[in-house]
Amino acid sequence: GLDVAGKIVVVLGGVPAGLDSELAASLGASKAAAAARMGAVGLLTVAPAPAQTTEGWNRMSSAAGMPAYRLAN
């Protein structure tokens, strides 16, 4: 794997189309968990082009008030 210890990891948001919804939900959360396990100090999610529609932006911006970071131990 990549050496991400002490680095900020950049990932694409979302999951491949057609994936089972339960699997898709767990994959989304596992990106951050995997980065943390590998020693990353941060995670930046970039929205893919389809999510940059008005509907996608409204959904993303509605989460703006939610916690968006955790401090590493």
Side-chain angles (χ1 to χ4, degrees):
L2 297 175
D3 175 15
V4 300
K7 298 178 176 114
I8 296 173
V9 174
V10 178
V11 298
L12 283 176
V15 294
L19 220 51
D20 173 70
S21 61
E22 287 185 33
L23 179 58
S26 67
L27 282 178
S30 68
K31 292 176 187 178
R37 246 189 341 271
M38 296 170 66
V41 296
L43 180 87
L44 177 65
T45 302
V46 177
Q52 294 175 6
T53 63
T54 302
E55 179 184 324
W57 174 252
N58 289 340
R59 185 174 34 171
M60 287 175 29
S61 64
S62 70
M66 297 174 62
Y69 65 90
R70 293 183 207 137
L71 300 176
N73 292 339

